[in-house]
């Protein structure tokens, strides 16, 4: 890869970050806090949260196997996605390449940051070759986005192709592993030291059942994480989120049990869909959802809405005409969906 200084926007590289009151006394014990213009009443929520989420990162490190200095925490994974553009991409100059179709926020954040977004269409099996991705790059390509397992298709992207991109591309490769807990494939966060140009995204919203607390993770070299911390808002993860995440991390076995149940339900649901006369095809998946091609996705979607059952209609997404994306719910929720579809005429 190019040197990090060559990849980072010059103004970000030279940026003097905001120094919060909590940062300035780090490493010292204190009990009287008269530095941050806080209200002394309504404890404990009168105090600003730890700006670097030290205790939470230590707990995540034990579960994810990544050292704390290589972890960034944000307001959902979307904050890390946005920071990739803000740190590396000069507006109106640089560009980003991504597989297509994929998670929509990569493009939205590119548009917000005025960065050209170059989608590269996958094949009918929702796979891509490294050659196709690299052919879309030029001297101003700073980022390549690869979501694996991918959304909305659900499948893992061929690992050999991802590795080839990591070895060949001179910029930053972002591998979004939001759904990796449901997959048996080795995660790329385990290979941060092998690929210095990788950023791996993860989230508490999926397997951990914590979408409501909005906590996203990014794993990368210490140097890249330092840049993210330099640019992020000082107190980007609130105290309630940090507390709830610490509580959730105390029982990873419960999360593993949720995953086991969801994978069992996923297999049952996919078989049930295959038997539906209105289902044309069910695509392979490595996530907690699957993509199903229907005879008329819009009509089926509208019918389900009337029944109070909401799935995701992806028919307007490239390669997904007449496809519905089905999230795996509880056994009761899944049974209600299948029951309604069996009555569809």
């Amino acid at each position: 890869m190019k040197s990090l200084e060559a990849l980072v926007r010059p103004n970000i590289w030279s940026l003097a970050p905001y120094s919060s009151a909590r940062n300035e006394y780090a490493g010292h014990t204190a009990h009287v806090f008269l530095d941050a213009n806080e209200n002394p009443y309504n404890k404990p929520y009168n105090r600003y949260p730890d700006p670097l989420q030290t205790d939470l990162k230590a707990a995540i490190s034990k579960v994810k196997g990544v050292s704390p200095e290589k972890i960034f925490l944000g307001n959902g994974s979307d904050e890390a996605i946005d920071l990739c553009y803000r740190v590396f991409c000069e507006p109106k100059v640089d560009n980003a390449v991504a597989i297509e179709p994929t998670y929509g926020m990569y493009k939205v954040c590119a548009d917000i940051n005025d960065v050209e977004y170059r989608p590269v269409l996958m094949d009918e099996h929702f796979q891509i070759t490294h050659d196709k991705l690299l052919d879309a790059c030029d001297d101003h390509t700073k980022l390549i986005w690869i979501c694996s397992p991918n959304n909305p298709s659900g499948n893992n992207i061929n690992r050999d192709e991802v590795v080839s991109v990591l070895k060949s591309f001179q910029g930053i490769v972002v591998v979004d592993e939001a759904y990796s807990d449901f997959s048996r494939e080795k995660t790329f966060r385990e290979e941060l030291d092998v690929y210095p140009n990788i950023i791996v995204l993860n989230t508490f919203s999926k397997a951990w059942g914590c979408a409501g607390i909005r906590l996203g993770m990014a794993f990368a070299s210490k140097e890249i994480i330092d840049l993210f911390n330099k640019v992020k808002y000082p107190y980007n993860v609130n105290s309630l989120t940090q507390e709830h995440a610490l509580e959730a991390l105390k029982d990873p076995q419960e999360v593993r049990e949720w995953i086991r149940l969801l994978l069992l339900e996923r297999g049952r649901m996919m078989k049930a869909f295959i038997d539906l006369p209105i289902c044309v095809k069910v695509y392979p998946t490595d996530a907690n959802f699957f993509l199903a091609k229907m005879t008329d996705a819009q009509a089926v979607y509208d019918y389900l809405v009337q029944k109070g059952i909401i799935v995701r209609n992806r028919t307007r997404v490239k390669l997904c005409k007449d496809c519905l994306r089905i999230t795996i719910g509880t056994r009761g929720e899944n049974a209600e969906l299948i029951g309604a579809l069996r009555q569809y005429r």
Side-chain angles (χ1 to χ4, degrees):
M1 64 178 286
K2 295 178 181 177
S3 70
L4 203 54
E5 184 175 0
L7 291 172
V8 174
R9 293 170 59 189
N11 65 306
I12 299 300
W13 188 261
S14 61
L15 177 71
Y18 176 80
S19 178
S20 72
R22 294 297 178 261
N23 279 335
E24 290 174 359
Y25 73 86
H28 298 275
T29 301
H31 64 281
V32 176
F33 299 98
L34 304 176
D35 57 327
N37 302 335
E38 300 156 322
N39 188 325
Y41 306 109
N42 194 38
K43 295 181 179 179
Y45 303 114
N46 60 322
R47 299 300 181 190
Y48 287 110
D50 176 2
L52 293 177
Q53 309 93 32
T54 307
D55 292 342
L56 181 52
K57 285 178 181 176
I60 291 172
S61 175
K62 294 176 182 177
V63 173
K64 296 292 186 179
V66 177
S67 56
E69 68 270 15
K70 297 180 180 180
I71 301 173
F72 169 82
L73 300 180
N75 183 358
S77 297
D78 295 337
E79 181 177 2
I81 291 169
D82 183 59
L83 280 173
C84 288
Y85 288 107
R86 292 168 63 193
V87 169
F88 294 107
C89 296
E90 193 70 45
K92 298 182 184 297
V93 175
D94 293 324
N95 65 76
V97 168
I99 60 174
E100 172 82 359
T102 194
Y103 181 44
M105 279 304 292
Y106 309 146
K107 183 180 187 307
V108 170
C109 286
D111 292 344
I112 290 170
N113 287 280
D114 206 5
V115 172
E116 181 189 357
Y117 183 83
R118 299 180 175 182
V120 180
L121 193 65
M122 294 190 286
D123 63 26
E124 67 273 18
H125 304 294
F126 295 105
Q127 289 293 346
I128 195 82
T129 64
H130 67 279
D131 290 338
K132 286 188 70 175
L133 284 172
L134 295 174
D135 285 348
C137 300
D138 61 21
D139 290 341
H140 290 289
T141 305
K142 292 291 188 68
L143 304 172
I144 293 181
W145 296 96
I146 302 174
C147 185
S148 183
N150 190 29
N151 177 10
S153 56
N155 62 299
N156 282 316
I157 304 303
N158 185 303
R159 188 181 185 86
D160 290 340
E161 298 298 334
V162 179
V163 168
S164 293
V165 172
L166 284 163
K167 290 180 175 179
S168 303
F169 183 53
Q170 293 298 299
I172 302 296
V173 181
V174 189
V175 181
D176 190 341
E177 295 185 336
Y179 302 96
S180 61
D181 293 293
F182 303 100
S183 170
R184 294 180 178 178
E185 188 159 291
K186 182 181 180 181
T187 63
F188 276 98
R189 75 167 182 273
E190 300 170 61
E191 300 188 342
L192 296 180
D193 293 335
V194 179
Y195 306 111
N197 60 332
I198 195 172
I199 297 173
V200 179
L201 304 183
N202 208 198
T203 179
F204 271 74
S205 296
K206 312 303 178 185
W208 288 85
C210 291
I213 72 171
R214 304 308 301 131
L215 184 62
M217 295 167 275
F219 307 108
S221 68
K222 180 183 181 299
E223 292 75 17
I224 291 176
I225 296 302
D226 286 345
L227 287 164
F228 275 30
N229 288 331
K230 189 179 186 182
V231 175
K232 77 174 183 69
Y233 293 126
Y235 305 106
N236 61 321
V237 180
N238 68 70
S239 297
L240 295 173
T241 291
Q242 293 188 46
E243 289 172 11
H244 191 96
L246 281 167
E247 190 64 29
L249 286 161
K250 291 179 181 178
D251 193 6
Q253 180 55 41
E254 182 178 32
V255 176
R256 287 191 283 270
E257 177 62 13
W258 291 341
I259 293 170
R260 186 187 71 83
L261 292 173
L262 288 170
L263 292 180
L264 286 173
E265 280 297 296
R266 185 182 76 184
R268 192 177 71 85
M269 287 288 287
M270 292 173 74
K271 290 177 182 177
F273 258 74
I274 290 170
D275 292 336
L276 291 171
I278 57 173
C279 181
V280 177
K281 180 178 181 179
V282 174
Y283 291 89
T285 183
D286 300 285
N288 67 327
F289 62 87
F290 63 91
L291 198 65
K293 187 175 183 65
M294 314 301 286
T295 52
D296 187 338
Q298 187 64 55
V300 175
Y301 175 82
D302 293 340
Y303 164 80
L304 290 173
V305 169
Q306 293 300 315
K307 295 283 187 179
I309 301 171
I310 308 302
V311 297
R312 196 73 190 272
N313 185 3
R314 302 280 75 190
T315 193
R316 293 182 178 85
V317 174
K318 288 183 179 179
L319 300 180
C320 298
K321 180 173 172 53
D322 277 321
C323 287
L324 299 178
R325 194 190 69 193
I326 312 297
T327 303
I328 305 303
T330 64
R331 191 173 183 87
E333 291 169 333
N334 299 335
E336 187 172 350
L337 169 60
I338 293 298
L341 290 175
R342 285 171 177 163
Q343 298 172 22
Y344 177 83
R345 295 294 182 269

